[in-house]
Amino acid sequence: MPDGFIVTVIKSLILANLVMGVFAMLTWAERRMLGRFQVRLGPNRVGPFGLLQPIADLLKLIRKESLLPVGVNPVLYLAAPVVSLFASLAVFAVIPFGGQATIPGTDFKIFLWVSNPSVALLVVFALGSLSFYGFLVGGWSSSSKYSLLGSMRAVSQLISYEVSLALAVIGVVMMSHSLSLTAIVEAQHRDGLPYIIPQFLGFAVYVVAATAETNRIPFDLPEAEGELVAGYHTEYGGMRFAMFQNAEYVALIAFSAIASVLFLGGYGWPWLPGPIWMLLEMAIFIFVAMWLRATLPRVRYDKLMSIGWKVLLPAATLNLLVTSVIVAWRA
Amino acid sequence: MTYDIVFVVASVVAIVAALMVVLSGNPFISSLALIGNLIALATFYLLLQSDFLAAAQVIVYAGAVMIMFLFVTAYLGGRADEPTRQRPIWQTLAALVAAAGIAAEIVFGVTRESFLHGPVVSDAFGAPQAIAGRFLGRYLLAFEGTSLLLLIAAVGGVVLATRRPAPRGADEPGAFEVERPQRVRSLQSSVMQAETAFEVVRTGARADEKDEA
């Protein structure tokens, strides 16, 4: 904690609330954008352009009765959404949004990250693997067959795609010689080109695997409503259901932020402040995810598994081999 | 001061979770408690300045290994036997002896002179670069041996999973065959039927049925 304890706590509070605010606006933006893609209007009644729709949704969900289905394990049932949301939100503790900055009007300097460990990328993956437990425990403790099947699908899909995701990222680690996210950004600007160019195959694998990791169409098999009602959160209502949805959106924002840092050069570009660059790059990834959702149908379950193991994994391994040969040859 | 608070909280979590692992009758709850224990151990690694080890502990053990445990227990559901009921008496005695041995080792270790003033390490201690240097330098043979062992285990798992029992002759006891209907009406219906409408037909009589006949 180079900024001291109090400043770090304040920064964490501000960041967590900002992410929640962005989540609320994303639900509106996604529905508006889907409307445009599908030649209809989307929500436009609550406030100007429907901008107050998230608040209306929140009020509706808060006023729902807090139900506990018969036969559930109450502790696990209540803890599962909290675990999911915590694991998604905690990733932002290690994401850098800029270097050192001065608070306007004072000469007080702060770092624009909450924490900068030397193993930041491993922390991201550790928290990602903890988020699986929210889905698995939520589905198991609901004592419903749809929930259990949904959570089984979710976990097998997440495990399969996490392998490719991790392998795709190792190429970046090799080129930058570091697991620290700030060091990866600095290495890209020292070499003068973002890693999306030399690591394009790794980037492509990352985007596909991240789409699967965030359970988004075309990989939203865990909650395929045609066959599983709603998957692992079938038995959840009100704010607990909202927490699961919240966790998925926050994971989408987190994966976009990590992609910006790893492949697009993060906050280090000139002319604009670092956080603005991060927001622009994240907006690109989030827009692409919504575009995919509006365009593609859901893939079949066996296709999902064969894409993960027979296409993405060999591609990521090839990327890893070529990168390691080049890195070793240049060293 | 902060470190002491974190240490005490992590210790309490580790001990309570470890007790829940052995005392809970439900295998699913036991596995969840084991995850809590592993995360508490990762906190200890963090306090010992081993960031890499802590992250690896959470990724490998709390993430990858335990999700497999939970996956299997959730699939088996209520059919999993409760391992704590009706165990033989020698198991309890052997567990007590093993626990006493571990307790003696801990007491021996803690009362040593060198335990009271721990080693002073640099900031680079436990960094990924230092660990990688050891793995690919001094301990290369052991490292490669371990990876070979893991590869063998993975290949063995695939071989065991894909092995099917040898096909039986149609007259042998317990022989089954899958018959698919042959009629073809249209492309769509033929695909539908190939996916869904197959029948399992028993072609050989079982041994006990032959006796009754």
Side-chain angles (χ1 to χ4, degrees), chain A residues 94-313:
Chain A
V94 296
I95 294 178
F97 286 90
Q100 202 170 24
T102 315
I103 296 177
T106 62
D107 48 358
F108 193 71
K109 286 183 187 303
I110 56 165
F111 288 102
L112 292 178
W113 63 72
V114 176
S115 161
N116 183 29
S118 61
V119 290
L121 204 52
L122 292 181
V123 174
V124 169
F125 278 100
L127 289 167
S129 62
L130 286 188
S131 72
F132 299 176
Y133 291 117
F135 307 142
L136 184 59
V137 170
W140 183 81
S141 63
S142 297
S143 76
S144 148
K145 58 189 169 207
Y146 295 118
S147 300
L148 187 61
L149 284 174
S151 66
M152 287 298 167
R153 273 196 187 180
V155 170
S156 49
Q157 170 181 333
L158 293 178
I159 292 175
S160 307
Y161 279 81
E162 208 200 9
V163 179
S164 312
L165 191 74
L167 278 180
V169 165
I170 292 179
V172 171
V173 174
M174 280 181 175
M175 291 192 68
S176 64
H177 301 285
S178 179
L179 287 164
S180 154
L181 293 178
T182 49
I184 289 174
V185 171
E186 281 157 18
Q188 291 180 61
H189 293 284
R190 195 178 54 229
D191 296 351
L193 82 168
Y195 285 149
I196 183 174
I197 296 166
Q199 286 288 319
F200 188 75
L201 186 58
F203 171 75
V205 172
Y206 178 93
V207 170
V208 176
T211 311
E213 288 281 305
T214 46
N215 288 341
R216 290 187 63 86
I217 289 177
F219 300 114
D220 70 332
L221 268 293
E223 46 200 279
E225 64 268 8
E227 17 190 314
L228 287 177
V229 188
Y232 57 87
H233 56 65
T234 303
E235 302 294 330
Y236 285 88
M239 280 312 283
R240 290 181 202 126
F241 160 75
M243 281 171 90
F244 269 129
Q245 292 298 96
N246 193 346
E248 273 184 20
Y249 269 99
V250 171
L252 172 68
I253 303 171
F255 274 111
S256 309
I258 294 162
S260 315
V261 167
L262 293 184
F263 295 105
L264 293 189
Y267 56 82
W269 298 101
W271 303 313
L272 284 176
I276 305 285
W277 276 115
M278 278 295 283
L279 283 181
L280 287 175
E281 291 161 9
M282 286 158 66
I284 296 173
F285 286 108
I286 293 171
F287 174 74
V288 168
M290 290 175 179
W291 189 3
L292 286 177
R293 172 171 172 185
T295 309
L296 293 176
R298 184 179 295 135
V299 299
R300 225 169 58 200
Y301 187 67
D302 56 326
K303 296 258 182 176
L304 173 90
M305 282 296 159
S306 65
I307 292 171
W309 290 108
K310 295 180 183 168
V311 179
L312 288 189
L313 189 59

Side-chain angles (χ1 to χ4, degrees), chain B residues 168-182:
Chain B
R168 300 180 199 232
D171 301 332
E172 283 180 53
F176 288 88
E177 269 181 18
V178 174
E179 280 189 358
R180 290 177 185 274
Q182 295 296 316

